[in-house]
Amino acid sequence: MSILSPRAINRATLARQLLLERSDLSVTEAVGQLVGMQGQEPKHPFVGLWSRLAWFSEGDLIAAIEERKVVRATLFRGTLHLVTADDYLRFRTTLSPVLEAGLKLLGDRAAGLEPDKVAAAARQLLAVEPLTFTEVRGALQQQFPDVNDRALGFCTRMLVPLVIAPSETRWGWTANARFTPAEQWIGGKVRRSAVPKELAVRYLEAFGPATPADFQTWSGLPKAKALFDSMELEVFTDEHGKNLYDVPGGPRPDPDSEAPVRFLPEFDNLLLAHAKRERIIAGEHRQAVFTKNLRVKSTYLVDGLVAGLWTAEKKRGVATLTLTPFGRTTKQTAAALEREGEALLRFLEPDAKTCEVVTGS
């Protein structure tokens, strides 16, 4: 059984995440390759695709959204993701048990909640017209006056296949966006049978080589070890003797392959898709990136690993990217970060008169 070094694992993951070199894939193809992108905030996938695709423009993703090839919806881990329309229809049922189990988080607020009845009522409401969740909760409260309104909304989000209708605003969606039935919006049917093996293959193609625990962390699906063992996968070990599974022939570049500096948005799935995240971030830096209020800060990569944080703002026509490094930055790396950072600022703030990259404490 071949042993994969930490650098070999890192480079394999970066290659699949389109972070070793910018790809010529279309937006829809890239979102499919990544099996979705964390989309808690509308802007984040735009930044993630900018870092991964050659010649990417904001309009490329807007066009895919308007053509209904890409949708934003509740999916992996019960959070909002940007996924291809085809993948949403194909994997929504596979992930249904995870979403249904999420109702346990309601605790005492679920008193009196009858999930099936609430879901049926919500389907009827949303079949008429797209609604914000404020409107959904208000309408459901009239039918179920004794149930907590937040529980009614959460139940709808977890049990009813919905996508967020885009709006004519930058980054595609407003803060209080409207939701609409997924099948109605996409013009196709949600696959009725689960396909966990297919989802596992797609995961490994995007994040492998990986362990069953990694897949469980990303998908929320239990019993991944038995699932992986039932599939025809290649098996490697890491330096600690832990088994890593991979699709046959999956890309595993030379560990000495160059990994250019790259900027990642908040909540990028690269940092969320593994149970053990040392392949991308050193343990001593995790507390600075993963906050107590469950946010994942914007980071940048140097030689394939998280090396610091970044923030961007524009004041009086000046766009500023502030870097917070975790350690010493060489002159060569600083120059690369400045070049890439200025390009990112021009993407984020095209109307800025001046772009500056500065280093904070």
Side-chain angles (χ1 to χ4, degrees):
M1 200 178 297
S2 298
I3 299 174
L4 296 179
S5 68
R7 281 182 67 90
I9 296 168
N10 171 270
R11 295 309 194 254
T13 307
L14 292 178
R16 299 165 205 219
Q17 284 288 299
L18 312 179
L19 290 167
L20 280 186
E21 58 181 352
R22 282 186 165 92
S23 172
D24 290 324
L25 291 175
S26 71
V27 162
T28 304
E29 290 169 336
V31 174
Q33 163 61 30
L34 300 170
V35 209
M37 306 181 73
Q38 246 284 358
Q40 288 297 99
E41 301 289 342
K43 179 172 70 173
H44 297 161
F46 286 84
V47 176
L49 288 171
W50 177 86
S51 288
R52 290 171 164 94
L53 297 182
W55 316 113
F56 173 74
S57 72
E58 182 182 327
D60 296 332
L61 180 50
I62 293 294
I65 292 165
E66 291 178 344
E67 293 166 7
R68 308 191 184 193
K69 294 179 180 178
V70 171
V71 297
R72 185 170 169 235
T74 300
L75 200 59
F76 301 105
R77 305 181 300 279
T79 60
L80 290 174
H81 272 70
L82 194 78
V83 295
T84 69
D86 288 344
D87 279 351
Y88 183 86
L89 295 177
R90 190 150 192 85
F91 296 126
R92 176 60 174 72
T93 296
T94 303
L95 294 163
S96 288
V98 181
L99 300 176
E100 292 167 5
L103 295 182
K104 295 176 183 177
L105 297 174
L106 289 171
D108 294 341
R109 289 183 297 172
L113 180 69
E114 297 182 80
D116 290 343
K117 290 183 178 180
V118 171
R123 287 189 180 92
Q124 287 186 331
L125 288 169
L126 288 154
V128 178
E129 60 178 336
L131 299 171
T132 67
F133 257 86
T134 300
E135 293 168 334
V136 169
R137 290 194 299 266
L140 289 175
Q141 187 85 79
Q142 294 182 26
Q143 297 186 49
F144 306 95
D146 298 326
V147 182
N148 180 281
D149 68 324
R150 293 288 170 175
L152 293 170
F154 190 70
C155 179
T156 300
R157 190 186 295 270
M158 294 297 109
L159 300 190
V160 183
L162 302 172
V163 301
I164 307 180
S167 57
E168 294 184 1
T169 186
R170 195 176 186 202
W171 312 126
W173 291 276
T174 59
N176 194 22
R178 297 182 181 277
F179 286 71
T180 193
E183 293 182 335
Q184 185 174 313
W185 179 262
I186 297 170
K189 293 293 184 181
V190 170
R191 183 185 174 94
R192 300 309 177 201
S193 57
V195 285
K197 289 185 179 180
E198 185 176 336
L199 184 62
V201 167
R202 294 286 301 282
Y203 168 77
L204 291 173
E205 289 174 341
F207 298 102
T211 67
D214 291 328
F215 174 71
Q216 287 186 188
T217 296
W218 172 78
S219 68
L221 292 172
K223 301 180 181 179
K225 178 64 165 59
L227 176 65
F228 277 34
D229 286 342
S230 71
M231 301 167 62
E232 294 184 4
L233 300 172
E234 291 191 66
V235 184
F236 303 88
T237 61
D238 63 16
E239 61 180 352
H240 304 295
K242 190 80 171 178
N243 282 357
L244 296 169
Y245 296 75
D246 203 2
V247 290
R252 289 180 287 276
D254 186 327
D256 292 326
S257 299
E258 180 183 355
V261 300
R262 288 289 185 260
F263 288 92
L264 300 178
E266 291 184 52
F267 295 104
D268 195 282
N269 268 343
L270 178 64
L271 277 74
L272 292 168
H274 300 92
K276 293 188 177 297
R277 296 159 182 170
E278 286 79 3
R279 71 178 63 202
I280 198 68
I281 181 171
E284 62 263 30
H285 302 322
R286 285 189 58 173
Q287 190 173 1
V289 174
F290 298 88
T291 69
K292 292 181 179 179
N293 60 353
L294 303 181
R295 294 197 71 83
V296 182
K297 295 181 180 180
S298 300
T299 59
Y300 60 86
L301 307 179
V302 174
D303 194 25
L305 295 171
V306 172
L309 309 174
W310 66 269
T311 58
E313 64 176 354
K314 186 178 76 170
K315 290 183 178 179
R316 301 182 185 89
V318 178
T320 304
L321 187 77
T322 301
L323 307 179
T324 305
F326 292 151
R328 177 177 172 270
T329 303
T330 66
K331 290 183 178 180
Q332 183 178 3
T333 297
L337 286 167
E338 185 170 359
R339 288 193 300 272
E340 187 79 357
E342 288 180 352
L344 175 59
L345 283 174
R346 288 193 293 273
F347 171 73
L348 292 173
E349 303 292 351
D351 297 329
K353 298 177 182 177
T354 307
C355 294
E356 297 179 349
V357 178
V358 301
T359 300
S361 59

